[in-house]
């Protein structure tokens, strides 16, 4: 019996064998959403499974001119175009088609033409973009079926999804706890079996941290691996789209589809897209794994530490060579991040001014008044806090002391990794210092909230790929194990995570409330 | 103290945000703590360390100078809170 | 007290690309509002800029033509400010690493050449346009111009008079038009100028307090606006007053500058490196290729015209005003005996024709070969200069060769001695009074007789011959 925990290959096999249909899979998800989402509250917008929507997301919709631009732009660059059944003309590693007919959901900061995209902010309430994110277009062209848009911390700023302007999302493992953030809706939707996979975005851990809290796999690709076109910018030099799935193999399949150079993103890398499933061999003998003491500071819970140490021991047993590495500037990562990300955000979010789209305050006397009222009423507290910090860090007289300094420290953090990766192939750490905390527990204490990201932030600063995989439960709550890889070496990263996942046998993790299903697969 | 309530008010004005006195007070405290935390960077010797503004690099990224269709007029203004004569309408602009 | 004026200019030039600098919308002037916009122009959430290769190339070419050093490595920055003409609330510009630095422009002033330093040349995007409602209660925003590629050219404060400012602007325009970087039409805003001006007591090194003037939208207004401000500042200082640092707007209608904002309102632009655009890294080959695209520039052409053709400096400067005009002259001069005659015809009748018809030299209905032929026909005595003026007009109207027109209309000069002598005899016999006067020493009377002679021949008689012939015949009687 198939369900949304079965894995993408099993779902695809079910479709191929005629045991299920795309429509049936979509309906199954909608059933689960109807059953679970009153409690979890992961979805902000539901999308119907109609061909018109799918066509528009493929860039073939009726908004003629501009959609034409999109398709045209891709074709010119010799990018693979996929037929709607998912077959790829260029034989993209045989994985094209892997996602055809399979439903998915999107964090609400990923633009979808004709479908409301709000970033869970009042300031974008009702905003319907004319453009579709390149990553989504590629999923649509591969035959994916969009279920809906997922809750998040407003503009991806937060670690609990409590900063949504709509409502907080809850952790399927314990509805009194947060799912993490900012891709909390994505992690919760996948964990609760409402979608087989989702796309989130990761600026300082926003995919990996909620993945860890909800017991799913979360992959942040190398900066530049996946186009940012259509991802609403939070911090442009850190943001990256990535998948949340039930397994490492699924993450590889989704990445395969969304990765690749995009002429509409000047920071998307002109590198070859390898077969990401190539490294899923189950063999890691000789793989050199680094463990950095800096990731096991006193802030890490004992329960989490224990699980991660068990995982490292298991990896050693499986044939990996574990050695200690030093990342001495890790301790500065948090400060660095909380200057750089807000600075970029203060500029990226300046465009929400009530002129061309989105919310506009009523009763403004003049332009400046309209701007200020619109922005003050449209943004939530955390967004304002970060805009203020970022504006301050860039303002006259403080740029050198704060922003520039942070960018220099960023160079040192990157150098630490470069040196460590001379000796090891991947680095392993906890994804988060704790398991999921209670709703409201940290909402009034920004600095403590920021500490959640202490293990994930250095990775974004350096631009590296990293993945969080479940490594068991601590007092009934999932713990995440983070693997960090070299720039553009997702193949090795996924290979290592896959070996651990198979040997540990945790995935797919089903929250307690999920119905027990007899027999996996079909 | 790094940051007074006046500083917060000034930065808020730059960012086009209006804050109540209470918000100014709370935010001054919160922002001050964050900046204090950032002070740890001040102690680092960064002489000769270049700032990392981009992750990638080394090659200029350009696109060909080929025109493509713009948005249909209706689509361009579809999300506008206020529009007139195929343009976005805004309240009177006062210099300053 | 005597004051010295110090002026620096910031010139914005729209680049003549097909598309905008960061998206594929057409770079076109004059389209209906908001019909040349896409999500990138609108600053829609989630969109990204991608640099237009041609905008970069034109920017580098311009920097080189302005004698700048081009940076092998430069970057874009964000200039943050809120205004409805700026959809992202930041302008993508270049702050501390512009594409070009330390250049210069040479102007001809007071019979000599003066070098005006160019501090920097950088690439940036243009902003949209606001149309204010008649009652001033609201404004309408047209974003067509958003993202049109610009270069900003910042001069050193080397300019000393409003006239020099105008000459500098004209020279910059001329250089950039030569290079096909921009059409530089001030009336369409593709060339714009802001000026900083201050006065200081003669001999003092330190600069005085400056004001900035915007909205001088023609060459004439650049000079007039600066003259006005120069006078205003001089009067204020002479009266013991102070100059306040402020931004002013030139109001053409009232012919004065109007306060826009004072220094206290200065913006804090919070520049930082644009994370969405990779750094610009240029190879030596790339820069050399852009340099190779630069044609002979106006200053070199002027110098060559004087040296090669022996033209007066004034002629050289008029003829090099545009590249096409200079090339036209070069082509004519190569085909005629005396280049000065080519210069005279082009600067006189041809430019007058262009002025009347509003045409550019490129549109004119007469090839350089045709003009050279016309000049050749004067030189060999086939037609008189006066007839040539008529022929020129006909060539411009009909595009036919001068030789053909002269043939068709029988305009060739009568140089046949015997034929002319017979007519002269008739004229002398018919005007005894004039003959009498001439003999009595009234030189003017000869002119009347020659005039009669030209009338008889419908202007086709060779005037030199006629003059000599009548004088000889009266003397010989």
């Amino acid at each position: 019996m198939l369900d949304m925990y079965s894995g993408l290959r099993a779902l695809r096999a079910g479709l191929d064998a005629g045991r299920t249909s795309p429509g049936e899979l979509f309906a199954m998800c909608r059933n689960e959403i109807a059953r679970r989402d009153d409690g979890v509250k992961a979805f902000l917008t539901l999308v119907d499974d109609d061909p018109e929507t799918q066509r528009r997301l493929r860039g073939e919709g009726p908004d003629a001119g501009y959609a034409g631009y999109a398709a045209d732009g891709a074709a010119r660059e010799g990018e693979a175009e996929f037929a709607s059944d998912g077959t790829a003309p260029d034989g993209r590693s045989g994985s094209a088609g892997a996602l055809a007919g399979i439903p998915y959901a999107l964090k609400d900061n990923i633009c979808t033409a004709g479908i409301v995209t709000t970033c869970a902010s009042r300031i974008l309430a009702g905003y319907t973009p004319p453009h579709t994110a390149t990553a989504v277009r590629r999923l649509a062209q591969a035959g994916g079926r969009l279920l809906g848009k997922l809750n998040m911390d407003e503009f991806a700023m937060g670690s609990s999804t409590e900063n949504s302007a709509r409502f907080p999302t809850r952790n399927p493992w314990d509805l009194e706890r947060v799912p993490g953030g900012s891709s909390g809706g994505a992690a919760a939707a996948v964990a609760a079996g409402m979608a087989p996979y989702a796309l989130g975005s990761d600026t300082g851990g926003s995919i990996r941290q909620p993945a860890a809290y909800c017991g799913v796999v979360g992959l942040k690709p190398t900066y530049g691996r996946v186009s940012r076109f259509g991802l609403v910018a939070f911090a442009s030099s850190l943001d990256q789209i990535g998948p949340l799935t039930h397994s490492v193999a699924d993450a590889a399949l989704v990445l395969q589809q969304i990765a690749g150079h995009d002429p509409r993103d000047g920071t998307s890398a002109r590198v070859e897209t390898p077969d990401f499933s190539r490294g899923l061999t189950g063999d890691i003998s000789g793989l050199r794994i680094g463990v950095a003491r800096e990731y096991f500071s006193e802030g890490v819970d004992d329960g989490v530490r224990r699980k991660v140490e068990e995982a490292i021991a298991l990896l050693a047993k499986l044939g990996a060579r574990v050695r200690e590495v030093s990342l001495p500037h890790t301790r500065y990562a948090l400060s660095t991040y909380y200057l750089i990300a807000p600075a970029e955000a203060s500029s990226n979010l300046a465009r929400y001014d009530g002129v061309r789209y989105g919310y506009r305050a009523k009763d403004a006397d003049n332009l400046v008044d309209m701007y200020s009222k619109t922005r003050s009423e449209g943004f939530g507290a955390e967004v304002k806090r970060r805009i203020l910090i970022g504006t301050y860090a860039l303002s006259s007289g403080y740029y050198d002391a704060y922003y520039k300094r942070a960018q220099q420290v960023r160079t040192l953090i990157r150098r630490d990794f470069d040196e460590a990766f001379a000796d090891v192939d991947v680095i392993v750490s906890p994804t988060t210092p704790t398991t999921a905390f209670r709703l409201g527990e940290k909402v009034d204490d920004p600095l403590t909230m920021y500490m959640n990201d202490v293990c994930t932030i250095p990775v974004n600063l350096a631009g590296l790929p990293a993945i969080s995989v479940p490594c068991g439960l601590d007092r009934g709550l999932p713990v995440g194990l983070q693997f960090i890889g070299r720039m553009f070496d997702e193949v090795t990263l996924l290979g290592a995570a896959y070996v651990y996942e198979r040997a540990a046998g945790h995935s797919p993790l089903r929250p307690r409330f999920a119905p027990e299903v007899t027999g996996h697969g079909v | 103290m790094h940051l007074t309530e006046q500083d917060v008010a000034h930065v808020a004005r730059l960012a086009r945000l209006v804050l109540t006195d209470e918000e100014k007070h709370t935010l001054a405290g919160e922002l001050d703590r964050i900046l204090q935390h950032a002070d740890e960077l001040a102690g680092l010797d960064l002489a000769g360390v270049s700032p990392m503004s981009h992750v990638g690099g080394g090659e200029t990224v350009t696109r060909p100078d080929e025109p493509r269709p713009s948005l249909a007029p209706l689509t361009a203004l579809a999300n506008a809170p206020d529009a007139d004569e195929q343009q976005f309408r805004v309240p009177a602009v006062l210099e300053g | 007290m005597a004051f010295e004026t110090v002026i620096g200019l910031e010139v914005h030039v729209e680049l003549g690309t097909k598309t905008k600098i960061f998206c594929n919308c057409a770079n076109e002037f004059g389209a209906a509002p908001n019909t040349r916009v896409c999500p990138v122009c609108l600053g829609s959430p989630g969109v990204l800029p991608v640099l237009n290769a041609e905008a970069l190339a034109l920017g580098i070419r311009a920097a080189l033509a302005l004698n700048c050093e081009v940076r092998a490595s430069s970057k874009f920055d964000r200039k943050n400010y809120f205004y409805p003409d700026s959809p992202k609330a930041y302008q993508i510009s270049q702050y501390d690493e512009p594409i070009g630095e330390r250049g210069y422009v040479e102007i001809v002033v007071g019979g000599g050449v003066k070098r005006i330093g160019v501090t920097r040349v950088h690439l940036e995007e243009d902003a949209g346009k606001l149309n204010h409602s008649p009652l001033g209660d609201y404004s309408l925003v047209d974003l067509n111009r958003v993202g049109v590629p610009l270069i900003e050219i910042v001069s050193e404060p080397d300019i000393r008079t409003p006239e020099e400012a105008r000459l500098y602007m004209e020279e910059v325009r001329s250089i950039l038009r030569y290079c096909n970087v921009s059409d530089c039409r001030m009336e369409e805003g593709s060339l714009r100028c802001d000026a900083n001006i201050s006065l200081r007591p003669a001999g003092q090194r330190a600069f005085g307090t400056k004001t900035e003037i915007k909205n001088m939208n023609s060459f004439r207004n650049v000079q007039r606006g600066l003259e006005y401000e120069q006078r205003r500042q001089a009067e204020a200082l002479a009266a013991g007053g102070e100059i306040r640092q402020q931004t002013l707007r030139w109001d053409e209608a009232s012919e004065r500058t109007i306060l826009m904002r004072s220094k206290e309102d200065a913006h804090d632009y919070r520049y930082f490196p644009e994370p969405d655009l990779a750094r610009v890294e240029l190879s030596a080959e790339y820069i050399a290729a852009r340099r190779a695209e630069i044609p002979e520039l106006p200053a070199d052409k002027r110098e060559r015209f004087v040296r090669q053709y022996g033209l007066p400096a004034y002629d050289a400067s008029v003829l090099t005003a545009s590249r096409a005009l200079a090339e036209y002259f070069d082509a004519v001069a190569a085909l005629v005996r005396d280049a000065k005659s080519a210069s005279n015809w082009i600067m006189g009748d041809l430019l007058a024709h262009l002025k009347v018809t509003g045409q550019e030299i490129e549109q004119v209905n007469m090839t350089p070969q045709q003009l050279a032929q016309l000049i050749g026909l004067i030189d060999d005595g086939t037609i008189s200069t006066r007839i040539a003026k008529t022929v020129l007009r006909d060539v411009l109207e009909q595009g036919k060769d001068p030789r053909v027109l002269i043939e068709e209309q029988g305009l060739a000069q009568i140089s046949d001695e015997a034929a002319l002598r017979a007519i002269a005899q008739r004229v002398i016999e018919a005007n005894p009074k004039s003959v009498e006067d001439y003999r009595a020493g009234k030189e003017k009377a000869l002119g009347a007789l020659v005039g009669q002679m030209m009338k008889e021949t419908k202007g086709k008689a060779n005037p030199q011959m006629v003059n000599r012939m009548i004088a000889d015949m009266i003397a010989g009687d």
Side-chain angles (χ1 to χ4, degrees), chain B residues 54 60 63 65-66 86 88, chain C residues 19-20 23 34 141 277 281:
Chain B
H54 300 85
T60 311
R63 59 166 179 83
D65 186 26
E66 293 164 4
Q86 182 62 25
F88 301 96
Chain C
T19 65
K20 294 185 178 184
C23 71
N34 295 306
V141 188
L277 291 166
E281 310 284 352

Side-chain angles (χ1 to χ4, degrees), chain A residues 187-448:
Chain A
V190 175
M194 297 187 285
Y197 74 95
L199 295 188
S201 71
D202 193 316
T203 307
S206 279
I207 288 173
R208 291 159 288 155
Q209 185 255 17
Y213 281 11
C214 292
V216 299
V217 171
L219 170 65
K220 181 204 102 71
T222 308
Y223 184 86
R225 176 67 90 186
V226 178
S227 168
R228 290 188 296 119
F229 183 86
L231 170 65
V232 180
F234 159 16
S236 313
S237 74
L238 301 163
D239 296 341
Q240 189 67 187
I241 291 177
L244 293 101
T245 59
H246 279 298
S247 71
V248 174
D250 285 1
L253 286 177
V254 178
L255 180 62
Q256 198 72 50
Q257 216 54 251
I258 63 176
H261 177 253
D262 178 8
R264 284 192 288 168
D265 173 1
T267 63
S268 104
R270 288 170 189 272
V271 293
E272 191 204 347
T273 304
D275 177 357
F276 292 112
S277 302
R278 193 178 71 202
L280 310 184
T281 59
D283 177 16
I284 52 162
S285 51
L287 187 82
R288 299 168 304 168
I289 291 181
V291 177
R293 195 201 313 271
E294 290 83 357
Y295 286 90
F296 294 85
S297 64
E298 64 269 33
V300 178
D301 267 7
D302 285 346
V304 171
R305 186 191 304 268
R306 214 166 23 246
K307 286 288 163 199
V308 173
E309 280 167 358
E310 282 171 26
I312 293 166
L314 177 60
L315 284 162
K317 211 179 98 189
L318 294 167
R321 289 175 6 219
V322 179
R323 62 204 300 176
E324 193 163 304
V325 292
S326 172
L327 301 166
H329 295 94
T330 300
R331 53 178 294 215
Y332 302 110
L334 204 61
S335 300
T336 302
Y337 176 85
Y338 277 98
L339 291 171
I340 293 172
E344 291 183 7
S346 72
S347 174
N348 283 331
L349 271 63
R351 69 188 60 196
Y352 305 106
D353 59 6
V355 175
R356 298 161 314 283
Y357 46 76
Y359 176 76
R360 177 189 286 196
K362 310 279 175 287
D363 307 321
D365 300 335
N366 57 55
L367 183 75
V368 172
D369 193 38
M370 188 280 276
Y371 279 167
S372 304
K373 281 184 174 155
T374 295
R375 291 167 59 77
S376 300
E377 294 167 15
F379 289 134
E382 180 62 21
V383 173
K384 286 185 209 171
R385 190 179 290 128
R386 297 207 197 181
I387 288 174
L388 291 171
I389 278 279
T391 305
Y392 185 75
L394 291 175
S395 67
S396 176
Y398 298 100
Y399 179 86
D400 285 354
Y402 289 115
Y403 185 76
K404 188 176 169 207
R405 224 172 162 70
Q407 294 281 43
Q408 287 174 299
V409 178
R410 191 175 180 186
T411 301
L412 298 179
I413 291 167
R414 169 71 175 267
R415 250 182 233 169
D416 282 357
F417 279 112
D418 287 347
E419 282 165 22
F421 280 120
D423 296 327
V424 298
D425 303 306
V426 293
I427 294 169
V428 172
S429 79
T431 306
T432 56
T434 67
T435 53
F437 49 91
R438 292 182 181 282
L439 265 84
E441 192 178 318
K442 299 185 178 179
V443 80
D444 293 327
D445 186 357
L447 214 54
T448 311

Side-chain angles (χ1 to χ4, degrees), chain B residues 14-16 53-54 59-63 65-68 70-71 76 84-90 92-93, chain C residues 18-20 23-25 33-34 36-37 50-53 82-83 131 136-141 274 277 281:
Chain B
L14 276 180
R16 296 288 185 270
S53 53
H54 300 85
E59 110 184 50
T60 311
V61 179
T62 58
R63 59 166 179 83
D65 186 26
E66 293 164 4
R68 305 226 182 101
S70 298
L71 285 174
D84 191 23
E85 299 174 34
Q86 182 62 25
Q87 298 180 69
F88 301 96
R89 182 155 61 182
V90 295
V93 174
Chain C
K18 293 196 201 72
T19 65
K20 294 185 178 184
C23 71
N24 292 84
C25 284
N34 295 306
R36 296 292 179 277
V37 297
V50 184
L51 179 61
N52 179 348
F82 286 92
Y83 204 66
N131 300 302
D137 49 348
Y138 64 89
S139 302
L140 296 176
V141 188
E274 165 58 283
L277 291 166
E281 310 284 352

